[in-house]
């Protein structure tokens, strides 16, 4: 049933309007989606713990949680713990290219999220990287960079819906793919198995085994290989000057 509800996504248009990064140690952040129009909101938690409150329910959230609010929704984010509750807040419009083939109230509906009805969990390394990319591009000085932000946000939405239909084996595959991408983007930073395991939420021993089985190389050997390739490229470039 959930997979069938995905079939209409290609008839929806998404426009990211605002992007914010918020870090709170105390107090709360409240938001009301306009009751009329196509405005939705997506919250991506990338650090700390807290609660997401709606008039009907309260959800405990932590790093890796995602929640999508439809028009007319009221919600608040409340930190809980020593670390600040850090999250990205995206406001976006949804419109349909099917004319009046929308929901009963005349608005295009995000049926997959409506069926979920609660925050979704995504591997934190993936959620943090994609949210930061969309937010950073939307804050860019050029129209070209902000245009890229629209694309990055749709990649984030695609990741959310992919997670809804993923089997457990798919989740591990996706987590490893995003961890490898993270290594390729941050190999020059101080990385360790402990840090990579924390990002992927996989125990160090299992991470080494699964990464080796999938890519025929252990995570830290892959890091060292990328660093070596970078040194060789720099040396070759220096030799040409």
């Amino acid at each position: 049933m959930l997979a069938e509800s995905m079939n209409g996504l290609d008839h929806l248009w998404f426009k990211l309007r605002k992007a914010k990064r918020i870090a709170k140690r105390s107090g709360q952040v409240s938001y009301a989606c306009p009751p009329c129009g196509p405005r939705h909101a997506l919250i991506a938690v990338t650090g700390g713990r807290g609660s997401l409150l709606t008039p009907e329910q309260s959800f405990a959230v932590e790093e890796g949680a995602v929640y999508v609010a439809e028009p007319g929704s009221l919600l608040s984010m409340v930190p809980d713990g020593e670390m600040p509750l850090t999250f990205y807040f995206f406001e976006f419009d949804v419109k349909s290219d099917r004319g009046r083939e929308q929901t009963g109230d005349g608005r295009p509906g995000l049926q997959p999220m409506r069926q979920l009805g609660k925050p979704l969990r995504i591997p934190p390394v993936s959620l943090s990287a994609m949210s930061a990319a969309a937010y950073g591009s939307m804050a860019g000085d050029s129209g070209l960079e902000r245009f890229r932000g629209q694309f990055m946000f749709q990649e984030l939405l695609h990741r959310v819906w992919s997670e809804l239909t993923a089997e457990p084996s798919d989740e591990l595959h996706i987590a490893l793919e995003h961890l490898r991408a993270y290594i390729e983007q941050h190999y020059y930073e101080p990385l360790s198995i402990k840090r990579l395991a924390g990002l992927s939420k996989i125990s160090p021993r299992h991470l080494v085994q699964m990464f080796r089985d999938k890519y025929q190389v252990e995570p830290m050997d892959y890091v060292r290989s990328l660093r070596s390739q970078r040194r060789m490229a720099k040396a070759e470039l220096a030799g040409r000057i």
Side-chain angles (χ1 to χ4, degrees), residues 134-159:
Y135 168 77
S137 293
M138 285 300 292
D141 294 329
S142 71
L144 183 61
E145 187 66 15
R146 292 191 294 275
F147 175 76
R148 179 174 180 269
Q150 298 290 337
F151 167 75
M152 297 304 298
F153 179 68
Q154 293 197 37
E155 282 290 305
L156 176 58
L157 289 176
H158 178 268
R159 181 71 180 85

Side-chain angles (χ1 to χ4, degrees), residues 112-127:
M113 296 310 301
R114 188 172 287 167
Q115 289 185 29
L116 182 64
K118 61 182 180 180
L120 173 72
R121 286 281 301 169
I122 287 182
V125 61
S126 148
L127 180 62

Side-chain angles (χ1 to χ4, degrees), residues 210-222:
M210 289 189 294
F211 200 94
R212 182 176 60 235
D213 290 345
K214 185 171 180 61
Y215 302 114
Q216 289 74 56
V217 63
E218 293 188 2
M220 292 312 298
D221 287 338
Y222 188 50

Side-chain angles (χ1 to χ4, degrees), residues 41-52:
L42 183 147
I43 293 175
V45 181
T46 56
R49 297 174 182 269
S51 298
L52 187 154

Side-chain angles (χ1 to χ4, degrees), residues 157-174:
L157 289 176
H158 178 268
R159 181 71 180 85
V160 169
W161 287 314
S162 295
E163 193 71 20
L164 279 173
T165 57
E167 298 294 333
S169 59
D170 293 333
E171 293 177 7
L172 286 175
H173 168 77
I174 292 170

Side-chain angles (χ1 to χ4, degrees), residues 36-66:
C36 300
R39 190 63 49 91
H40 294 66
L42 183 147
I43 293 175
V45 181
T46 56
R49 297 174 182 269
S51 298
L52 187 154
L53 310 177
T54 71
E56 297 82 21
Q57 299 182 78
S58 173
F59 302 102
V61 294
E62 61 182 357
E63 183 182 24
V66 177

